Amino acid sequence: VPGRTILGSIKNPCWFQMFLVALSFAYFAKALSGSYMKSTITQLERRFDIPSYLTGVIDGSFEIGNLLVIAFVSYFGAKLHRPKIIAMGCVLMAVGTFIIALPHFLIGRYKFETSIRSSVNSTNNLSPCPARLLSPSSQASGCEGESNLSMWIYVFLGNVLRGIGETPVQPLGISYIDDFAREENAAFYIGCVQTIAVIGPVFGYLLGSLCAKIYVDIGFVNMESITISPGDARWVGAWWLGYLIAGVITLLSAIPFWFLPRSLPIPSDRGPAQCTPERTSFIKDPPLLEHKYQADEPAGFLEMAKDFIPTLKTLLGNPVYFIYLCVTIVQLNSLIGMVTYKPKYIEQHYGQSASKANFLMGTINIPAVALGIFTGGLLMKRLKLSIMGAAKFAFGTSLIGYFLSLFFFVMSCENVKVAGITVGGVSYEERSVFSACNSDCVCSGRDWDPVCGENGITYVSPCLAGCQTSTGSGKNTVFSNCSCVVAAGLSSGNLTASVGHCPHRDDCDRVFPYFLALSVITSFIISLGGTPGYMVLIRCIKPQLKSLALGFHTLSTRTLAGIPAPIYFGAVIDTTCLKWGQKRCGGRGACRIYNTTAYRIAYLGLTMGLRTVSFLLCILGFVLLKQHLRREECSAHQVANGGAELEALRKEEVLASNSDQSLQTSTTDYNNTERETRL
């Protein structure tokens, strides 16, 4: 019996329900690790001293892994043992996730840039205002033995492997459900699986929030000597810990698929005689062709390979599928770029820590998306939407969300007040941080060791604040006699400063709750159209092309959206940086502070601009969809008329045949009678 396993002893096992549970858990695991990757964007930037566009390359490497094998897995995998292929993919995902965490165990301890040289057990610190700069030889001494290999390469390669492993989960899993579920329940089941997939990011971001609170080298350093806090631009959390946890969960998700059968009994309502109206209007295939492409029919590898290119041409020749592909590519460019850098946007624009930004994403934004996807699938089942109805529903929800998102532009915050950078004119030149008040100190303009003056202004370093002495240690260090810390209305000052940047602006604290509320509303409304839009993709193609269509859709969107979007979004964000950090051995590191206004315009403008283009393509898509439906209706009418004529001809043939038989019988009887008479 095909698919017999160790579970075969169970009488009439609920294979389909088991597959649904297993696929939901696999979706949960891959979504958890994927969202955790996005939650560590700023952590990776700071740990490896790289700009945002490089973290975009790392994030896009997942899609590169998909690109390598997605078309072949989707095409050939549909004709092989789909559950076992999914199981092998989950194992590869787990291995890739473990590799991502590997650099932490290979690289040395994290050493952030600071000018504070203090001992925990001593209150006598070095003067923040040195008479000379540190000699180049002493600066370079810490670089001896430093590896020339960039450790972020390991993260890149691990994410590529994770992308390869994720490849079969979606196309083979969704096609398996659509093949063996009842016709009216397929959309609901897919909506449930996608809802579980959206729950995964909730736990992914919560895990990111927890790990961001823990110092990267926890257990190996004395935390009392750490002068930075989670809100500091130099803080790096225990990013590696979450990858180990995610890898274990992904490995566990592979186990059930090894015991599932290759195929399941097809429900009675899925026979060739019964089709939904929208499928009838799209699919006109002879029975022999449908039989040839059954997923559980064994076929030779060479035969499948020869059919690949012609089948792909047939798929892309469907105008509805092609325009749907173009629309989703543009929309996903906007969505992926927005989601990738949204936690960072919350950090930089509203002054929140990485831990809090991840926590808010996991507890507020992602549940709204999950509820929206589930509700969309439920509405499609209850309303029994046709292809055109589903397309209109998805377009309408997306358009409403678009107009609501325009309000994000007015939810602005002022730039943080940093002396020499945002106070007294914005300048990218180092000499802008120097003034007469710190001329007696030989300071480096490259350091980023912020202190908060009593006047509420942040200074790049204690030296540039003109501080002469300091007391205390670690986070409790207080700098005194700071000549640049001037009270309002005075020309000179001698106030104190404390470690860290000043608290964020009051105007941001008032605006931030409105930003969160609007973010939740727009996320819910836009995600309502997720499942109906996805069903348009499934229902506008022929059954035998289903797996290939899903796979090629995934391939195209990840190649043209998943890979480039994080990179060019990151590159645009990098242009708004006001102060770059410096690597220990020279070279530009991660950005320490951004121009808030420029960041908002670049980030939101790019997101909304791409969505505007997608709406223009949607209009063309509706025109093509209507034309296609009209042609199919005419074709169906002709087929119906032709069938009636054929049936009439068949009846005439039957009548004629019966007449001939009657005539032959009469003639035979006459001849026999005549013969008897003669005798």
Side-chain angles (χ1 to χ4, degrees):
V1 179
R4 183 180 295 277
T5 65
I6 61 174
L7 297 177
S9 59
I10 303 176
K11 186 177 181 180
N12 296 326
C14 300
W15 294 117
F16 186 76
Q17 288 80 356
M18 293 179 185
F19 181 83
L20 274 179
V21 174
L23 185 65
S24 298
F25 187 54
Y27 262 67
F28 171 83
K30 76 182 184 69
L32 184 146
S33 57
S35 59
Y36 183 76
M37 163 64 73
K38 294 189 181 299
S39 75
T40 58
I41 287 293
T42 54
Q43 309 295 309
L44 296 176
E45 282 185 22
R46 297 167 185 174
R47 185 63 185 95
F48 300 111
D49 274 323
I50 55 178
S52 294
Y53 83 90
L54 270 184
T55 56
V57 172
I58 293 174
D59 187 70
S61 62
F62 177 85
E63 320 300 344
I64 294 176
N66 272 265
L67 171 63
L68 297 176
V69 295
I70 182 66
F72 300 100
V73 167
S74 300
Y75 183 71
F76 298 115
K79 305 172 189 304
L80 303 174
H81 198 302
R82 284 179 281 186
K84 287 189 176 180
I85 294 177
I86 294 174
M88 289 186 286
C90 291
V91 172
L92 283 178
M93 276 196 293
V95 173
T97 307
F98 290 136
I99 292 176
I100 293 175
L102 185 62
H104 173 74
F105 303 97
L106 301 178
I107 200 171
R109 301 284 173 256
Y110 175 55
K111 296 179 180 179
F112 52 89
E113 52 182 323
T114 180
S115 58
I116 301 175
R117 304 288 184 266
S118 62
S119 172
V120 176
N121 298 324
S122 174
T123 58
N124 297 322
N125 300 338
L126 297 176
S127 173
C129 179
R132 62 184 179 86
L133 284 173
L134 191 66
S135 64
S137 59
S138 60
Q139 288 180 339
S141 61
C143 295
E144 294 178 0
E146 189 84 7
S147 173
N148 291 326
L149 178 64
S150 297
M151 286 296 169
W152 63 267
I153 295 296
Y154 288 97
V155 182
F156 177 88
L157 295 177
N159 211 29
V160 170
L161 187 60
R162 197 173 66 85
I164 293 175
E166 193 267 350
T167 303
V169 177
Q170 179 178 351
L172 300 188
I174 295 298
S175 64
Y176 197 91
I177 291 176
D178 200 56
D179 282 343
F180 302 115
R182 293 185 180 276
E183 190 76 23
E184 70 274 9
N185 293 332
F188 179 71
Y189 289 146
I190 293 174
C192 290
V193 171
Q194 290 182 336
T195 301
I196 298 297
V198 179
I199 294 177
V202 173
F203 290 89
Y205 279 107
L206 290 178
L207 181 62
S209 175
L210 176 63
C211 293
K213 288 182 180 179
I214 305 172
Y215 188 66
V216 60
D217 294 320
I218 185 70
F220 295 95
V221 297
N222 186 349
M223 293 303 297
E224 295 296 328
S225 64
I226 303 299
T227 61
I228 56 177
S229 61
D232 196 286
R234 295 163 294 172
W235 175 271
V236 176
W239 60 274
W240 52 274
L241 181 60
Y243 287 111
L244 296 181
I245 297 173
V248 172
I249 295 175
T250 306
L251 192 60
L252 292 175
S253 70
I255 296 176
F257 290 103
W258 294 108
F259 307 115
L260 289 167
R262 174 174 177 168
S263 60
L264 299 173
I266 299 177
S268 58
D269 65 343
R270 297 300 296 268
Q274 298 186 20
C275 285
T276 58
E278 63 265 20
R279 175 165 290 191
T280 303
S281 65
F282 274 93
I283 302 163
K284 308 294 179 187
D285 295 314
L288 291 177
L289 186 60
E290 292 184 3
H291 175 75
K292 178 181 177 181
Y293 284 93
Q294 284 293 327
D296 56 334
E297 286 285 336
F301 182 83
L302 292 178
E303 180 182 351
M304 291 188 294
K306 290 179 181 178
D307 291 340
F308 179 72
I309 299 299
T311 306
L312 185 60
K313 289 182 179 179
T314 302
L315 177 65
L316 295 179
N318 186 331
V320 178
Y321 176 81
F322 183 77
I323 196 66
Y324 180 91
L325 191 64
C326 295
V327 170
T328 51
I329 286 174
V330 178
Q331 286 186 339
L332 283 177
N333 267 275
S334 173
L335 179 64
I336 292 173
M338 183 269 293
V339 172
T340 300
Y341 294 101
K342 189 168 187 177
K344 183 173 181 176
Y345 179 75
I346 294 175
E347 291 178 50
Q348 299 297 329
H349 195 270
Y350 295 101
Q352 307 298 324
S353 66
S355 175
K356 186 173 182 180
N358 291 329
F359 178 79
L360 293 173
M361 285 287 292
T363 57
I364 297 180
N365 258 69
I366 303 302
V369 174
L371 181 62
I373 291 178
F374 178 79
T375 306
L378 190 62
L379 287 175
M380 186 170 184
K381 177 180 173 63
R382 292 287 178 86
L383 300 177
K384 297 180 180 180
L385 297 176
S386 63
I387 291 292
M388 181 60 73
K392 290 180 178 179
F393 184 85
F395 178 79
T397 55
S398 183
L399 191 62
I400 294 173
Y402 172 84
F403 287 117
L404 289 176
S405 298
L406 294 175
F407 288 99
F408 285 126
F409 282 97
V410 299
M411 296 181 178
S412 60
C413 289
E414 296 179 355
N415 285 305
V416 180
K417 294 181 179 180
V418 181
I421 296 181
T422 61
V423 176
V426 176
S427 174
Y428 293 84
E429 301 177 5
E430 290 181 7
R431 63 175 180 270
S432 63
V433 298
F434 298 101
S435 64
C437 62
N438 55 33
S439 59
D440 293 336
C441 304
V442 183
C443 307
S444 171
R446 296 179 177 272
D447 291 336
W448 177 258
D449 190 18
V451 293
C452 179
E454 282 188 85
N455 56 356
I457 297 177
T458 300
Y459 296 83
V460 174
S461 68
C463 181
L464 291 171
C467 301
Q468 302 295 325
T469 60
S470 63
T471 57
S473 61
K475 298 177 183 177
N476 298 320
T477 303
V478 177
F479 302 95
S480 305
N481 299 325
C482 302
S483 57
C484 293
V485 182
V486 182
L490 299 179
S491 58
S492 62
N494 199 19
L495 302 178
T496 62
S498 57
V499 174
H501 57 77
C502 295
H504 223 262
R505 294 83 67 198
D506 292 337
D507 60 329
C508 280
D509 294 335
R510 291 191 297 268
V511 172
F512 189 54
Y514 296 102
F515 168 82
L516 292 178
L518 183 61
S519 181
V520 169
I521 295 172
T522 54
S523 298
F524 173 78
I525 293 176
I526 293 174
S527 59
L528 278 174
T531 301
Y534 202 76
M535 294 310 296
V536 172
L537 169 64
I538 294 178
R539 297 297 181 230
C540 75
I541 53 178
K542 300 174 183 178
Q544 69 272 14
L545 301 179
K546 191 185 309 173
S547 292
L548 179 61
L550 292 171
F552 190 79
H553 174 266
T554 305
L555 166 69
S556 301
T557 53
R558 287 179 170 172
T559 303
L560 302 178
I563 295 175
I567 299 175
Y568 67 75
F569 263 79
V572 170
I573 290 173
D574 284 338
T575 62
T576 66
C577 182
L578 296 177
K579 175 66 177 177
W580 291 96
Q582 297 296 317
K583 295 182 180 180
R584 292 198 308 119
C585 301
R588 193 174 74 174
C591 184
R592 301 307 186 192
I593 183 173
Y594 291 87
N595 184 338
T596 302
T597 302
Y599 193 126
R600 183 181 72 257
I601 295 174
Y603 173 73
L604 296 178
L606 192 54
T607 300
M608 302 301 289
L610 289 169
R611 290 174 64 183
T612 302
V613 174
S614 72
F615 289 138
L616 298 178
L617 292 173
C618 281
I619 297 174
L620 176 61
F622 278 115
V623 174
L624 292 175
L625 183 59
K626 288 181 179 179
Q627 292 177 352
H628 193 78
L629 286 172
R630 192 177 299 112
R631 286 196 301 267
E632 292 297 338
E633 288 176 359
C634 293
S635 177
H637 182 68
Q638 292 174 359
V639 169
N641 291 338
E645 293 176 1
L646 181 61
E647 185 66 22
L649 289 174
R650 286 178 179 175
K651 290 181 179 179
E652 291 178 2
E653 290 177 358
V654 170
L655 292 174
S657 176
N658 292 337
S659 299
D660 291 342
Q661 290 178 359
S662 300
L663 182 60
Q664 291 176 0
T665 302
S666 301
T667 304
T668 302
D669 293 341
Y670 174 79
N671 291 335
N672 289 337
T673 303
E674 185 179 1
R675 185 177 302 169
E676 291 175 357
T677 303
R678 288 176 181 178
L679 291 175

